[in-house]
């Protein structure tokens, strides 16, 4: 009974965890129409980013890395997943509600990439990729942390996100820049063609072949155990209760 | 018609009517919890039937081959014949996936039913003399079922099963003094072993272990029939000397057959509708490959929990490793739990002083110490079991893994004590409540 | 008159009932109808299973088959349970439990055995000789099992296919140049021209700042320009270490580490593969590296210790070729 309750509780919890994060104190700078993109970005940067990343992306000692060499790629990645601006710079940046508008993000990307030479935003073509090659690349480079069906996982020190919501561009950006604790895979280690295959494989993990029916999460035995106990065992104990008597003393 | 059949058998066997009549009128005391063992029995029959079908398609070989089947993401991948045959059976054989999934669900339910049955037997004192031998046989079957399930999970040679085998290999190696010899015997050499290892696993999974389990099962049931079922004391005429219940025929047979078909029905429904172990998604195993979040089937979850909770140390004397780390969580822990279960009837006799025969069952509250100690051990195992899922708990709920490991370490030590105390209190309170109610009843009826 | 007739019938019925073995029950027509309907529905579902099986290229065939068969079985189950509960008589029988023990027969058996040996004089010796024979035969019977694996040869557990000069190749067999290995990422490597599926084969390569390396005494030259190589097999339970973490912003993030996904043992590549976290009891074995004239990465010898999960005595020795 206790076991069942605990498992039921575990099932009920995600609804609580899914609540929206609080507003992280974004400053929407009023921008006059006709302002050059870079200039608007500079104002947004001063209001939202400079406290941790320093003046003109020079970085600070304890709160944020320098940005004068990260280019458009990393800036676009962190802004487009909503991880930046971050409330507590000592926490893992994670995908969350995007509070900056598309224009504001564009302006910031334009400004940060002007601070110094850095990589451009990559453009993978999943359609050109080979799914099987992608699966092998994924097994080799990614599955250790992201789980073979891209359902996310754990590495000591960080929670590894599932890739269900990642866009192709974000996947390519993450591969090239290695956000937070993730390794950096250069074009030498994973070529652009291989990156296409990788994204093609990640596409299949969004709609995997669930030939067996209800997929229960693609993470293997834990949900299977929950179904065994909460569904099969409960139903079969119910049948036993239906067939057999309950204790009633004379 | 019936007469003719019975006469035919009687004339040729010499005893049919006597035995048959006895069997038809065998008395089954009626309580729902007595059916849990039957759920396990019927799951086992489903396992046998579906398992035989699977052997018609499975290739028990690790010979390397290249996949060119219908599932695109695996195209051109190098894999073992075993894995290829499981993917083929799942995706290209009509009804193959239904049977395979039903087999896997049946294994999960089989062990779950054994566990529920064990809990019933333990907490009602059904294992006491004269049924202690039946209980030991049941425990042995549980142990064999765990091993059997592990082998089934391993045979498919997908990424998860290979990782599971690596861990099993590490646990075998970790056994003090003889570990390397044992692993050498089983695997024929260092992991992943000689090619003969796969046929060995296969024959153990489809013949040796099912035969052992089946043999013990027959013995288990024969001994129950010899000693008759236990019963709760519900009616005055139910005593240590007299068993009261319904006859096997006509009353019990349709009930039991109904349960058998209900078990099969639930398992086939699950097998068709709920996906289990989609091996094609995991990909083939290679010694150098692994995935995050790999887990064993639920009934071995307590062992991965044990392996994760034990702090990182090897017992070393000088330059000589004596006890490698996986021994504690992977071998010592389950051995200790089984040792407790095997020793319990003796412990209870030794410290409780009750050496009599028992045909009447206790309710859990009637034996507070037994119930409390049982709950404490169950709580301990359950905490360790949950700890085995700490990484997925982190991914789903955001509680840090390292924090959880410490919390679970503390809980594994504290909660059993709490459970011991609380269970005993609850039992005593329930007893007290009944005594008060009985006295009130007497007081209410005596003035008349 | 009518009353008398009824009484007579009733008495006859009562006398008949006394002779019955199974007592008479009252018919329950609605339950009977329900059972018949359930059985017919079961037949329909079972036939549907056959039809669904016969159809080709049916979407969700597994689901339909499972649903048809499962529902058919459950309908049959419902019919049987209804039969048990409503259609057949549920008697209450009493029966004595078997006696606790049968001492007379036990004693007789004991006597049969004891008295059979009246011609034997040296009983203990005979029993011991018999025990010796049976025991030895038993030993002989299990002896062939030793062929399953070399029982006493545990030397092979120390072996790894790395020798001085062997090139490190990727999973497609292409050799790595030292200059291929970049910082902040990890590479899997295998011994050239050896079976990659041996536990001693897979290696993980990472490159750190040479200044950050603090390798144990005697292993200072194992690294090559900051490149370090370790066995990819966890020393705890033998899973492949396919996780590498590296900080993006070092002041607040954890240091680089190799992590095993099974029980999250975490190893420090900068200090010779020592354990940072988790249940592993010994560091990862390190592979010494060198660079040949053409720039290819080669092993400079075998691992610093035995590969894979530990066993008794594992610390004694280095890995052997």
């Amino acid at each position: 009974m206790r076991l069942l309750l605990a498992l039921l509780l575990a099932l009920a919890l995600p609804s609580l965890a899914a609540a929206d994060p609080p507003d992280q104190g974004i400053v929407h700078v009023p921008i006059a129409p006709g302002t050059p993109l870079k200039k608007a970005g500079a104002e947004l940067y001063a209001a939202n980013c400079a406290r941790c990343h320093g003046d003109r992306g020079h970085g600070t000692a304890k709160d944020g890395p320098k940005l004068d060499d990260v280019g458009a790629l990393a800036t676009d990645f962190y802004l487009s997943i909503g991880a930046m601006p971050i409330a507590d710079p000592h926490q893992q940046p994670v995908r969350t509600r995007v509070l900056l508008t598309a224009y504001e993000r564009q302006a910031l990307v334009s400004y940060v990439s002007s601070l110094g030479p850095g990589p451009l935003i990559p453009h993978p073509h999943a359609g050109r990729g080979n799914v099987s090659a992608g699966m092998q690349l994924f097994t080799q480079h990614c599955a250790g942390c992201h789980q073979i069906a891209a359902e996310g996982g754990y590495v000591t020190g960080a929670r590894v996100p599932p890739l269900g919501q990642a866009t192709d561009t974000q996947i390519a950006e993450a591969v090239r820049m290695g956000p937070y604790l993730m390794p950096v895979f250069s074009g030498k280690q994973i070529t652009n063609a291989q990156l296409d295959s990788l994204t093609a494989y990640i596409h299949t993990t969004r709609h995997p072949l669930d030939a067996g029916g209800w997929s229960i999460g693609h993470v293997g035995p834990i949900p299977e155990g929950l179904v065994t106990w909460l569904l099969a065992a409960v139903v079969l104990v119910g049948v036993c209760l239906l067939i057999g008597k309950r204790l009633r003393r004379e | 018609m019936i007469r003719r059949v019975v006469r035919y058998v009687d004339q040729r066997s010499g005893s049919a009517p006597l035995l048959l009549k006895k069997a038809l009128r065998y008395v089954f005391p009626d309580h729902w919890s007595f059916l849990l063992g039957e759920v396990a029995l019927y799951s086992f029959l489903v396992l046998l039937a579906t398992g035989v079908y699977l052997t018609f398609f499975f290739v028990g070989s690790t010979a390397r081959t290249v996949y060119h089947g219908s599932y695109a993401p695996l195209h051109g991948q190098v894999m073992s014949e075993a894995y290829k045959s499981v993917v083929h059976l799942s995706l290209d054989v009509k009804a193959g996936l239904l049977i395979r999934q039903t087999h896997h669900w049946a294994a999960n339910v089989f062990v779950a039913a054994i566990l529920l049955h064990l809990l019933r037997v333990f907490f009602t004192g059904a294992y006491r003399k004269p049924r202690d031998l039946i209980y030991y046989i049941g425990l042995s079957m549980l142990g064999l079922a765990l091993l059997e399930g592990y082998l089934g999970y391993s045979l498919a040679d997908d990424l998860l099963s290979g990782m599971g085998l690596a861990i099993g290999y590490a646990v075998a190696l970790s056994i003090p003094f003889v570990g390397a010899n044992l692993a050498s015997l089983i695997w024929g050499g260092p992991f992943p072993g000689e090619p003969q290892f796969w046929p060995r696993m296969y024959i153990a999974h489809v013949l040796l272990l099912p035969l052992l389990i089946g043999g013990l099962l027959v013995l288990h049931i024969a001994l129950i029939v010899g000693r008759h079922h236990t019963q709760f004391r519900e009616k005055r005429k139910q005593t240590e000397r007299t068993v009261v219940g319904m006859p096997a025929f006509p009353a019990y047979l349709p009930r039991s057959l109904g349960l058998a078909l209900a078990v099969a029905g639930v398992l086939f429904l699950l097998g068709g509708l709920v996906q289990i172990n989609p091996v094609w998604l995991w990909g083939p195993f290679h010694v150098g490959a692994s995935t995050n979040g790999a887990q064993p089937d639920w009934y071995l979850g307590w062992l991965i929990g044990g392996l994760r909770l034990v702090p990182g140390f090897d017992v070393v004397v000088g330059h000589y490793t004596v006890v490698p780390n996986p021994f504690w969580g992977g071998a010592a822990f389950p051995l200790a739990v089984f040792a407790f279960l095997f020793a319990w009837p003796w412990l209870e006799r030794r410290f409780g002083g009750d050496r009599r025969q028992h045909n009447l069952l206790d309710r859990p509250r009637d034996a507070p110490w037994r119930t409390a100690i049982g709950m404490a051990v169950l709580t301990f195992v359950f905490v360790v079991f949950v700890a085995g899922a700490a990484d997925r708990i982190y991914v789903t709920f955001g509680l840090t893994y390292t924090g959880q490991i410490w919390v679970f370490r503390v809980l594994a030590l504290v909660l059993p004590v709490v459970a011991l105390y609380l269970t005993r209190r609850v039992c005593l309170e329930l007893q007290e409540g009944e005594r008060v109610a009985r006295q009130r009843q007497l007081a209410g009826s005596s003035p008349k | 008159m009518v009353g008398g007739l009824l009484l007579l019938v009733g008495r006859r019925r009562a006398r008949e009932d006394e002779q019955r073995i199974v007592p008479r029950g009252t018919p329950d027509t609605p339950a009977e109808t329900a059972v018949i309907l359930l059985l017919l529905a079961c037949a329909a579902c079972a036939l549907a299973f056959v039809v669904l099986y016969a159809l080709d290229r049916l979407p969700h065939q597994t689901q339909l088959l499972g649903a048809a068969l499962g529902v058919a079985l459950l309908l049959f189950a419902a019919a049987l349970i209804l039969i048990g509960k409503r259609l057949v008589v549920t008697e209450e029988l009493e029966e004595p439990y078997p006696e606790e023990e049968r001492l007379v027969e036990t004693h007789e058996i004991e006597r049969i055995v004891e008295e059979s040996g009246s011609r034997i004089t040296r009983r203990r010796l005979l029993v011991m000789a018999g025990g010796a024979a049976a025991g030895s035969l038993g030993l002989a019977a299990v002896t062939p099992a030793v062929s399953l694996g070399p029982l006493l040869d545990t030397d092979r557990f120390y072996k790894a296919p790395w020798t001085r000069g062997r090139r490190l190749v990727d999973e497609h067999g292409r050799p790595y140049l030292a200059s291929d290995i970049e910082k902040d990422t990890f590479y899997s490597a295998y011994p050239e021209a050896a079976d990659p599926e041996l536990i001693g084969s897979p290696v993980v390569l990472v490159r750190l700042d040479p200044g950050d390396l603090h390798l144990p005494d005697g292993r200072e030259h194992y690294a090559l320009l900051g490149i370090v190589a370790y066995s990819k097999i966890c020393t705890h339970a033998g899973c492949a270490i396919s996780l590498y973490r590296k900080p993006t912003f070092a002041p607040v993030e954890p240091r680089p580490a190799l992590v095993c996904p099974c029980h999250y043992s975490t190893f420090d590549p900068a200090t010779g593969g020592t354990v940072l976290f988790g249940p592993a009891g010994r560091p990862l074995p390190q592979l010494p590296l060198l660079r040949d004239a053409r720039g290819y990465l080669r092993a400079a010898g075998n691992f610093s210790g035995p590969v894979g999960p530990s066993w008794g005595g594992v610390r004694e020795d280095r890995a052997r070729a």
Side-chain angles (χ1 to χ4, degrees):
Chain A
M1 194 61 221
R2 175 183 307 194
L3 191 133
L4 286 179
L5 279 179
L7 292 174
L8 278 175
L9 196 70
L11 281 184
L13 275 171
S15 51
L16 300 176
D20 274 341
D23 193 277
Q24 291 168 334
I26 297 290
V27 181
H28 295 284
V29 182
I31 292 161
T35 316
L37 205 55
K38 205 170 90 184
K39 189 159 177 295
E43 286 178 28
L44 281 161
Y45 181 89
N48 290 295
C49 321
R51 192 165 58 90
C52 296
H53 290 291
D55 184 33
R56 292 192 57 76
H58 292 317
T60 57
K62 280 272 153 36
D63 291 331
K66 62 192 183 74
L67 298 182
D68 50 14
D69 59 350
V70 301
L73 186 149
T75 318
D76 178 64
F77 176 82
Y78 279 116
L79 293 176
S80 70
I81 65 168
M84 293 289 156
I86 195 167
D88 177 356
H90 296 188
Q91 292 293 314
Q92 178 182 356
V94 293
R95 175 181 294 274
T96 175
R97 197 149 50 102
V98 181
L99 296 171
L100 293 167
T101 64
Y103 172 77
E104 286 170 330
R105 282 182 275 138
Q106 224 180 330
L108 274 169
V109 169
S110 149
Y111 171 72
V112 174
S113 50
S114 75
L115 295 174
L120 302 174
I121 297 174
H123 295 286
H125 303 275
R128 290 184 209 157
N130 173 311
V131 175
S132 170
M135 184 176 184
Q136 291 175 70
L137 287 163
F138 194 86
T139 307
Q140 201 186 351
H141 301 295
C142 321
C145 292
H146 286 283
Q147 197 260 356
I148 183 69
E151 295 289 350
Y154 165 69
V155 59
T156 15
R159 191 172 165 188
V160 183
L163 302 179
Q165 294 173 27
T167 64
D168 291 356
T169 307
Q170 287 165 353
I171 292 166
E173 286 167 346
V175 166
R176 292 289 182 238
M177 59 162 289
Y180 200 54
L181 299 185
M182 178 169 158
V184 179
F185 300 93
S186 71
K188 209 166 162 187
Q189 191 177 7
I190 295 179
T191 64
N192 281 338
Q194 287 177 320
L195 199 49
D196 292 342
S197 296
L198 211 48
T199 43
Y201 172 69
I202 294 169
H203 278 213
T204 69
T205 64
R206 311 248 166 90
H207 311 282
L209 175 62
D210 287 329
W214 182 29
S215 67
I216 57 170
H218 311 114
V219 289
I222 291 178
E224 292 163 7
L226 288 173
V227 169
T228 301
W229 280 97
L230 299 180
L231 210 68
V234 166
V235 168
L236 289 173
V237 167
V239 175
C240 289
L241 281 163
L242 186 74
I243 296 175
K245 261 195 325 197
R246 266 166 264 187
L247 204 55
R248 232 169 256 116
R249 285 200 167 178
E250 248 177 24
Chain B
M1 172 68 191
I2 287 164
R3 177 183 301 202
R4 266 175 47 199
V5 171
V6 175
R7 276 184 63 198
Y8 180 91
V9 177
D10 184 30
Q11 284 161 4
R12 278 143 192 95
S13 69
S15 57
L18 292 173
L19 281 179
L20 193 61
K21 197 183 145 212
K22 237 183 156 168
L24 289 178
R25 303 310 270 176
Y26 179 87
V27 173
F28 282 94
D30 191 5
H31 189 260
W32 67 270
S33 69
F34 299 168
L35 297 168
L36 295 169
E38 288 190 26
V39 174
L41 168 69
Y42 297 133
S43 307
F44 183 65
L45 296 184
V46 172
L47 279 167
L48 287 184
T50 50
V52 168
Y53 185 82
L54 296 180
T55 62
F56 298 150
F57 300 91
F58 180 70
V59 181
S61 154
T62 46
R64 300 273 117 188
T65 176
V66 178
Y67 182 79
H68 295 293
S70 66
Y71 184 62
L74 292 178
H75 268 203
Q77 290 205 39
V78 176
M79 55 183 62
S80 66
E81 291 280 2
Y83 178 68
K84 189 164 121 177
S85 72
V86 178
V87 172
H88 172 75
L89 159 74
S90 303
L91 299 180
D92 301 320
V93 173
K94 256 192 206 180
L97 186 56
L98 171 67
I99 304 291
R100 207 195 110 227
Q101 294 199 130
T102 305
H103 189 73
H104 203 142
W105 283 119
N108 277 6
V109 170
F110 179 49
V111 188
I114 296 179
L115 178 58
L116 287 173
H117 178 55
L118 171 63
L119 294 178
R120 197 280 292 175
V121 164
F122 186 91
F123 286 117
T124 59
Y127 54 80
R128 287 175 298 181
K129 204 175 139 195
R131 296 181 185 77
D132 42 356
L133 181 59
I134 303 176
Y135 168 77
Y136 297 140
I137 293 172
L139 285 178
S140 311
M141 283 194 285
L142 172 58
L144 292 173
L146 297 181
L147 184 59
E148 175 72 344
Y150 173 70
L151 291 185
Y153 179 93
S154 302
L155 273 172
D157 202 26
D158 58 282
L159 188 53
L160 294 190
S161 67
M163 293 170 73
L165 274 176
I167 298 172
Y169 168 77
V171 171
L173 269 187
S174 76
I175 293 170
F177 307 113
V178 297
N181 307 85
L182 185 70
S184 181
L185 266 191
I186 300 173
W187 275 267
F191 188 77
E194 296 295 307
Q196 299 94 309
F197 173 59
W198 230 257
R200 284 174 196 176
M201 257 207 312
Y202 188 34
I203 203 68
H205 180 72
V206 303
L207 182 73
L208 298 180
L209 288 172
L211 212 59
L212 264 176
I213 294 174
L216 289 175
L217 192 59
V218 170
L219 201 57
H220 194 75
I221 293 170
L223 286 173
I224 293 170
V225 172
R227 272 291 155 197
H228 272 72
H229 280 64
T230 51
Q231 61 187 346
F232 283 110
R233 184 161 164 75
E234 230 181 335
K235 302 177 172 133
R236 279 179 208 289
K237 54 188 175 181
Q238 288 179 306
T239 66
E240 289 286 3
R241 298 171 155 279
T242 310
V243 57
V244 177
M246 63 179 88
F249 190 85
Y252 196 73
L253 183 72
R255 286 172 165 85
S256 189
L257 274 182
L259 182 61
L261 290 170
V263 169
V266 167
L267 293 176
F268 274 100
L269 270 185
L270 283 174
L273 300 178
V274 187
Q275 181 161 282
I276 187 164
N277 200 19
V279 287
W280 58 93
L281 298 184
W282 311 146
F285 175 67
H286 297 289
V287 170
S290 59
T291 172
N292 208 286
Q295 292 278 347
D297 277 327
W298 77 264
Y299 45 83
L300 293 181
W302 55 315
L303 301 190
I304 190 168
L307 287 168
R308 283 179 178 178
L309 285 189
V310 174
F313 69 94
D314 287 352
V315 177
V316 180
V317 177
H319 278 291
Y320 196 88
T321 304
V322 183
V323 191
N325 189 280
F327 176 73
W328 305 109
F333 168 48
L335 285 177
V337 172
F338 270 93
F340 165 80
L341 289 169
F342 271 103
W344 176 255
W346 178 82
L347 286 173
E348 196 182 45
R349 279 201 302 274
R350 173 76 182 67
F351 294 100
D354 180 359
R355 288 162 196 284
R356 286 170 302 161
Q357 295 231 2
H358 290 276
N359 290 319
L360 286 181
L361 294 173
D362 287 333
R363 294 170 307 163
R365 72 186 69 169
D366 300 332
W369 271 117
R370 174 202 301 146
T371 308
I373 293 173
M375 281 306 289
V377 173
L378 183 63
T379 307
F380 177 67
V381 174
F382 183 67
V383 169
V384 177
F385 171 76
V386 176
D391 52 343
R392 293 319 297 184
I393 294 176
Y394 183 26
V395 174
T396 314
F397 305 121
L399 313 164
T400 65
Y401 180 85
T402 36
Q404 279 188 66
I405 289 298
W406 278 105
V407 169
F408 281 124
R409 279 174 184 163
V410 172
L411 287 183
L413 297 178
V414 172
L415 277 190
V417 180
V418 175
L420 185 84
Y421 175 77
L422 278 186
T423 312
R424 211 175 109 72
R425 284 256 33 107
V426 168
C427 288
L428 293 175
E429 291 295 329
L430 285 171
Q431 279 184 6
E432 182 63 21
E434 282 183 339
R435 190 153 52 234
V436 170
R438 213 160 30 229
Q439 272 168 358
R440 238 179 240 153
Q441 218 175 11
L442 280 176
S445 58
S446 60
K448 292 173 190 173
Chain C
M1 179 76 177
V2 174
L5 208 74
L6 274 178
L7 207 69
L8 209 73
V9 171
R11 200 175 287 161
R12 189 180 300 158
R13 173 78 56 85
R15 201 177 307 132
E16 229 173 68
D17 282 356
E18 253 168 52
Q19 287 166 353
R20 288 181 68 95
I21 300 175
V22 179
R24 183 188 298 280
T26 48
D28 186 341
T29 343
E32 218 172 320
T33 317
V35 165
I36 291 166
L37 290 176
L38 284 169
L39 290 174
L40 290 176
C42 165
C45 284
L47 289 177
F49 178 84
V50 178
V51 173
L52 288 168
Y53 179 88
L55 292 173
D56 280 324
R57 278 191 288 281
L58 190 66
H60 303 297
Q61 194 170 31
T62 300
Q63 284 66 55
L64 293 169
L65 286 172
L69 194 55
V71 170
L73 287 163
L74 287 180
L75 287 169
F76 207 152
L80 280 166
I81 292 169
L82 203 56
I83 289 174
K85 290 244 156 194
R86 302 275 295 272
L87 280 193
V88 296
V89 181
T90 301
E91 309 144 80
E92 193 172 87
L93 298 189
E94 285 175 45
E95 196 182 343
Y97 274 111
E99 280 170 54
E100 194 168 338
E101 45 189 348
R102 280 147 287 266
L103 287 171
V104 178
E105 286 84 351
T106 311
H107 185 56
E108 277 171 10
I109 292 172
E110 193 188 7
R111 275 178 50 200
I112 292 173
V113 176
E114 300 263 320
E115 291 166 10
S116 305
S118 58
R119 300 173 70 180
I120 296 166
T121 57
R122 285 166 296 168
R123 195 179 194 155
R124 275 187 59 153
L125 193 60
L126 192 76
V127 168
M128 277 162 66
S136 310
L137 269 177
L139 186 68
V142 297
T143 303
V146 176
S147 301
L148 287 176
L151 179 63
L152 300 177
D153 173 22
T154 54
D155 238 30
R156 295 195 294 157
F157 289 85
Y158 287 98
K159 287 195 174 147
W162 292 95
T163 46
R164 188 177 172 85
R166 211 181 259 270
R167 282 202 294 191
L168 283 77
V169 299
D170 70 8
E171 66 285 356
H172 299 293
R174 286 184 297 252
Y176 282 109
L177 290 163
S179 57
D180 286 338
I181 309 303
E182 297 175 318
K183 269 196 224 168
D184 290 338
T185 182
F186 72 110
Y187 302 80
S188 299
Y190 301 85
E192 189 172 31
D195 183 0
E197 300 292 336
L198 297 175
I199 197 170
S201 288
V203 158
V204 56
L205 285 169
V206 298
R207 185 179 209 135
L208 301 165
D209 270 329
D212 289 343
L213 289 179
H214 304 285
L215 296 175
D217 290 343
R219 280 204 242 154
E220 295 83 358
H221 54 276
Y222 271 39
L224 176 84
L225 309 165
I227 304 172
V228 280
Y230 295 95
S231 162
K232 204 183 175 186
I233 305 300
C234 183
T235 54
H236 173 243
C239 295
I241 292 174
S242 52
L243 294 73
Y244 181 60
R245 71 168 195 214
K246 69 93 196 69
T248 293
F249 184 49
V252 299
E253 292 170 23
R255 58 192 306 165
L258 294 160
V259 183
C260 171
C262 282
H263 312 100
Y264 300 106
S265 290
T266 305
F267 302 90
D268 190 343
T271 58
T274 49
V275 181
L276 288 171
F277 171 81
R282 112 190 129 86
L284 285 177
Q286 189 176 0
L287 188 73
L289 295 175
L290 55 82
R291 183 173 53 168
D292 68 15
R294 292 157 64 200
Y296 288 116
L297 271 180
R298 290 178 187 270
N302 214 326
F303 287 112
S304 60
V307 168
S310 299
W311 64 96
V314 73
R315 259 159 235 262
E316 276 182 321
D317 234 320
R318 290 172 52 108
R320 301 165 199 163

